[in-house]
Amino acid sequence: MKGYMLIGGKRVFKKEEIEIRFPYDNSLVGTIPRGDERDAQLAVEVAEVGFKKLKEMTAYERFRALEKAARIISKRSQEFAQLLTLEVGKTIKESMGEVGRAVNTLTLSAEEAKRVLGEEVPFEGAPGVKGKVGFYRRVPIGVIGCITPFNFPLNLTCHKVGPALAAGNSVVIKPSENTSLTVIKLAEVLIEAGFPPEAVNVLTGYGEEVGDALVRNSKVRMITFTGSVETGKVIMSRGGLKKYAMELGSNAGVYVDRDQSSRLKELAERIGRGGFTLAGQVCISVQRVFVHSEVYDGFLKELSSFAEGLKVGDPRSEDTDVGPVIDKGAADRIMDWIEEALSKGAELVCGGKRLSDTLIEPTVIRDVPRDSKLFRKEVFGPVIVVNRVSSLEEAIEMINDSPYGLQAGIFTNDLKGAMKFAQEVECGGITVNEIPTFRVDQMPYGGVKESGIGREGPKFAVEEMTEIKTICFDLN
Ligand code: NAD
């Protein structure tokens, strides 16, 4: 597919193009234009027109358009899923799952268009104030820049564009250069569904070029970003005075308590899926597992037998469980981190081999030292670290020993222990008797510490993407 930028509904091509390659075998999937500062400027100017045009749509009309977009994507789910598999390298099962979630995210956003509520402000509650009444409303911000990562190009873009349009904002989307083709199709669907073409724009190209130009444009009133901590920090230092929502990385931890001995096989499977889905390239992949010493050996045995049973290979095959990572550079880095942990005294339990430029066996490593990258940083690959702990308190301390704080989980029968965990672990979300990879699209979702600022989930994103305007009447 020859990709293009979409500015005011017009397809924009450039002489210089970037190739999009299938992560599994490096074959060419398509190309996208290498956008630059001038393209960003034009897209933002057009989006300002789009913002004005959106004001002519009622909330009900925005609800209808988002609902229609969800229906169109649902009808074309096979086509979207196949493209996702080619761009991201995720298995076809995973791609169908993402399309289903995107349909749900747009449907939830549609509903929120009708629920942008304000409330009365009791001015007369202040001393000496009489005869003043008023209220506040939530109003759209203007042009929102939506910058998205490679791993869930469809659903994560819907998490930005859906609430933005629901609230009446226009958007300029800058998708990952690895996975832009899916996002171009999404934008076309939104226009087909009834949004003004000027309100939904897509820029393609490199982050440091066209992405940076979008971030620095002062007419962009908010940047909603999902991606790595490193990029998030650069964006916030470059963008100046505007609103930011930041959905960043993590190295999610989970604790398996001593009382779980009767269900270690089940837990190993769930935790294994949480770590190896999409070859570990999920922001809430299970990366660090802390297991009580009484059940440690049994858990490790079950986890390694689960990992060894997974089929690694071509993501287009229905029976593949684990596909490739995004590119050779990512695989090189992951292999280096495994080597580093082993050289510092960690022990390989299973996997650890590289099967091709981008395929890595599902890998389990035990007793990983705290100062190794596998413990401290986000691996974003099919690697699970399993360390032994002797108490709930030690597990909490280990999980909190991280710059990140997105989600964490605990498996236990101890109610008080679960509550202590929920209160003391520093994360945006806690899962009890569930893996931290659990997410449904309506829930508030986001991180603390370096994992981010703000919350997604359409209801919460609409709050982030609106300003409060206070209106006061003097009736004296
Ligand atoms: P990335 O940070 O490399 O890139 C994300 C996006 O930012 C891309 O579109 C890229 O082109 C753009 N970009 C890069 N430099 C830029 C700049 N200077 N200015 C403007 N834009 C710029 O991330 P990635 O490798 O695509 O995705 C993986 C990361 O995303 C992981 O860290 C993962 O945890 C995170 N992630 C977080 C969530 C979440 O909800 N918290 C969800 C998915 C992924």
Side-chain angles (χ1 to χ4, degrees):
M1 172 181 168
K2 190 174 171 66
Y4 37 83
M5 291 190 274
L6 209 58
I7 302 182
K10 292 200 185 74
R11 296 178 173 191
V12 177
F13 297 89
K14 307 278 286 190
K15 242 202 224 119
E16 266 197 85
E17 294 189 320
I18 299 169
E19 290 178 342
I20 292 187
R21 293 192 170 268
F22 181 32
Y24 176 65
D25 62 9
N26 208 34
S27 55
L28 192 66
V29 177
T31 55
I32 47 165
R34 180 175 172 180
D36 57 26
E37 175 139 20
R38 272 197 301 200
D39 300 310
Q41 202 175 336
L42 176 64
V44 173
E45 279 165 18
V46 168
E48 285 196 304
V49 176
F51 181 51
K52 289 205 184 91
K53 290 205 169 174
L54 271 174
K55 288 190 174 155
E56 287 158 28
M57 283 178 89
T58 65
Y60 183 73
E61 285 164 346
R62 300 198 301 274
F63 152 74
R64 288 298 297 264
L66 282 165
E67 225 197 1
K68 185 169 174 192
R71 276 201 307 273
I72 297 172
I73 291 175
S74 179
K75 264 199 209 124
R76 290 170 51 188
S77 52
Q78 285 290 343
E79 174 199 337
F80 270 99
Q82 276 157 13
L83 185 56
L84 276 173
T85 289
L86 290 180
E87 284 200 295
V88 190
K90 60 176 64 180
T91 67
I92 196 73
K93 287 183 281 198
E94 291 165 346
S95 293
M96 283 304 286
E98 180 173 351
V99 177
R101 284 185 59 186
V103 169
N104 187 33
T105 302
L106 287 179
T107 308
L108 290 163
S109 301
E111 287 296 330
E112 292 306 324
K114 300 184 289 185
R115 295 187 194 133
V116 184
L117 303 176
E119 64 180 8
E120 187 179 346
V121 179
F123 292 105
E124 292 199 353
V129 176
K130 202 160 182 229
K132 285 190 168 55
V133 295
F135 52 91
Y136 72 81
R137 309 175 72 180
R138 286 194 167 272
V139 297
I141 296 178
V143 178
I144 298 188
C146 307
I147 304 179
T148 49
F150 76 82
N151 61 342
F152 288 90
L154 184 61
N155 191 36
L156 292 183
T157 307
C158 288
H159 266 288
K160 301 189 177 308
V161 174
L165 292 170
N169 302 286
S170 61
V171 295
V172 179
I173 311 165
K174 200 324 249 160
S176 163
E177 47 273 39
N178 291 305
T179 58
S180 298
L181 299 173
T182 313
V183 177
I184 298 166
K185 277 184 188 283
L186 166 67
E188 285 180 330
V189 166
L190 287 160
I191 294 169
E192 181 190 338
F195 286 106
E198 295 86 352
V200 187
N201 304 279
V202 182
L203 290 169
T204 59
Y206 293 115
E208 315 81 66
E209 297 177 359
V210 74
D212 181 64
L214 178 66
V215 165
R216 281 187 294 102
N217 192 311
S218 60
K219 292 176 180 158
V220 174
R221 300 306 313 138
M222 175 180 184
I223 292 287
T224 168
F225 171 74
T226 301
S228 63
V229 173
E230 292 70 26
T231 308
K233 287 182 179 172
V234 171
I235 287 176
M236 288 193 70
S237 72
R238 305 273 293 165
L241 206 60
K242 46 173 67 90
K243 259 191 142 180
Y244 296 94
M246 293 275 145
E247 296 287 337
L248 309 176
S250 87
N251 56 6
V254 59
Y255 174 51
V256 179
D257 204 356
R258 69 204 300 178
D259 59 16
Q260 298 297 296
S261 60
S262 63
R263 56 173 191 149
L264 292 179
K265 186 175 162 62
E266 176 213 332
L267 295 195
E269 281 186 25
R270 289 168 70 178
I271 288 172
R273 278 191 214 293
F276 300 132
T277 291
L278 185 40
Q281 302 168 110
V282 182
C283 46
I284 37 176
S285 283
V286 173
Q287 180 173 329
R288 301 177 304 149
V289 188
F290 301 100
V291 185
H292 194 282
S293 50
E294 286 175 25
V295 289
Y296 184 73
D297 292 334
F299 176 81
L300 264 179
K301 204 167 128 245
E302 295 293 355
L303 183 62
S304 77
S305 97
F306 172 75
E308 281 165 349
L310 292 172
K311 187 162 183 296
V312 185
D314 187 340
R316 290 167 299 190
S317 308
E318 289 284 343
D319 60 348
T320 295
D321 299 304
V322 181
V325 295
I326 189 70
D327 56 28
K328 181 174 175 300
D332 290 344
R333 178 188 54 74
I334 296 161
M335 294 308 293
D336 282 351
W337 289 16
I338 294 175
E339 273 306 309
E340 188 226 31
L342 296 179
S343 74
K344 287 188 162 170
E347 202 182 304
L348 189 67
V349 178
C350 67
K353 275 210 255 354
R354 189 168 179 168
L355 306 175
S356 74
D357 273 353
T358 51
L359 279 178
I360 297 175
E361 282 181 335
T363 299
V364 178
I365 304 191
R366 63 186 284 175
D367 304 326
V368 174
R370 281 199 201 209
D371 65 350
S372 58
K373 295 196 177 92
L374 274 188
F375 190 102
R376 303 224 70 77
K377 297 173 73 139
E378 176 185 44
V379 63
F380 230 54
V383 184
I384 299 181
V385 165
V386 186
N387 280 7
R388 184 196 302 265
V389 290
S390 52
S391 66
L392 170 70
E393 288 71 20
E394 195 187 350
I396 293 173
E397 195 272 319
M398 290 270 194
I399 288 176
N400 282 341
D401 184 14
S402 165
Y404 307 108
L406 196 47
Q407 299 210 132
I410 179 170
F411 286 96
T412 186
N413 297 326
D414 169 12
L415 256 184
K416 276 194 187 159
M419 199 59 203
K420 182 180 169 72
F421 184 93
Q423 281 172 328
E424 293 183 12
V425 168
E426 299 153 353
C427 273
I430 302 290
T431 53
V432 177
N433 290 328
E434 180 54 276
I435 52 173
T437 322
F438 176 79
R439 178 183 184 187
V440 291
D441 294 289
Q442 46 270 69
M443 75 189 213
Y445 178 78
V448 300
K449 293 161 60 178
E450 293 208 339
S451 287
I453 301 172
R455 293 291 175 269
E456 286 197 342
K459 173 174 188 280
F460 309 95
V462 163
E463 284 179 9
E464 307 273 350
M465 292 173 175
T466 47
E467 304 276 19
I468 285 181
K469 188 173 208 174
T470 311
I471 299 164
C472 171
F473 286 82
D474 187 336
L475 303 179
N476 290 302

